[in-house]
Amino acid sequence: MIPWTLIDTAPLPGGGSLRLKQRGTEFSIMLGTNELMNSRLFGSEEALARLACERLAGQAQPHILIGGLGMGFTLRAALAVAPADAAITVCELVPQVVDWARGPMAEVFAGSLDDPRVRLHVGDVAPLIAQSRAAFDAILLDVDNGPEGLTVESNDRLYAPGGLGRAKAALVPGGVLAVWASAPDERFTRRLRTAGFQVEEHAVRASTKGRGARHMIWLAAA
């Protein structure tokens, strides 16, 4: 068995740090003992983009906001199905994650950040959403382990009633908010409905081979 090698660490706002590890061609991003993402398991991240972008089929010049760069699987899946006139804004809180994308994980990203449809915003996605009005056709959130902050405690505000209201205001009428989580959360489903969204829940496999843990994706239509 090839041992894991620590490649780099990245401090998080509010304390703690991410660790990028590599084993052969496999990468892992860890927070303490929690593995946040692995380059072998990306089926649910791809599903997040696919399910959201299906709602935009036939729409001219859609503007998509992706909260959380991660290992780029959501971005790559969105690029695969978005039209040539789409605009995709990717917001990443931790600058080192962008460095990893262009450095040790460049092969994983496969040039996706250089696609002319992509604009990269390094910073917190919450203020970007709050200052936007009817700006996005879809907002895809994969910034944490789910609708409760694990990586950064302040992520909670995205999933609280006020944050959901701001997300709804940032969407065009009929736009979609898509949220990834590692597990179901009935309270979050209720919060989405209370905020005025029409909600669908999709349980999807972590692996593209239809195996592994089931993750949850909410599709919430404004």
Side-chain angles (χ1 to χ4, degrees), residues 36 43-45 47-48 51 67 74 140-150 159 178-186 188-189 191-192 201-206 213-219:
L36 299 181
S44 58
E45 286 83 358
L48 174 68
L51 290 167
T74 299
L140 285 58
L141 292 182
D142 184 10
V143 301
D144 216 309
N145 218 37
E148 291 185 4
L150 171 68
Y159 309 110
V179 180
W180 181 97
S182 61
D185 188 325
E186 292 182 3
F188 182 60
T189 302
R191 289 203 301 274
L192 284 167
E201 297 172 292
H202 296 264
V204 297
R205 292 286 190 183
R214 288 187 182 273
H215 295 158
M216 177 60 65
I217 292 171
W218 287 270
L219 288 184

Side-chain angles (χ1 to χ4, degrees), residues 57-81:
Q59 187 168 328
Q61 299 181 317
H63 191 178
I64 301 165
L65 173 63
I66 298 177
L69 176 61
M71 291 186 174
F73 293 115
T74 299
L75 171 60
R76 287 178 61 181
L79 287 170
V81 296

Side-chain angles (χ1 to χ4, degrees), residues 51-52 55-56 136-139 164 167-179 188-189 191-202 217-222:
L51 290 167
R55 300 301 182 92
L56 308 180
F136 304 108
D137 298 281
I139 298 174
L164 295 178
K168 193 169 187 289
L171 289 165
V172 301
V176 62
L177 172 66
V179 180
F188 182 60
T189 302
R191 289 203 301 274
L192 284 167
R193 288 180 174 141
T194 300
F197 288 100
Q198 298 179 25
V199 184
E200 293 179 9
E201 297 172 292
H202 296 264
I217 292 171
W218 287 270
L219 288 184

Side-chain angles (χ1 to χ4, degrees), residues 18-37:
L18 300 178
R19 290 176 291 136
L20 175 65
K21 300 169 67 177
Q22 183 176 6
R23 181 173 63 185
T25 59
E26 179 184 1
F27 291 91
S28 173
I29 295 179
M30 303 284 296
L31 173 66
T33 59
N34 294 301
E35 183 176 61
L36 299 181
M37 58 199 81

Side-chain angles (χ1 to χ4, degrees), residues 119-139:
R119 171 181 171 265
L120 183 62
H121 175 86
V122 180
D124 193 339
V125 72
L128 182 60
I129 291 173
Q131 69 191 26
S132 302
R133 291 291 181 274
F136 304 108
D137 298 281
I139 298 174

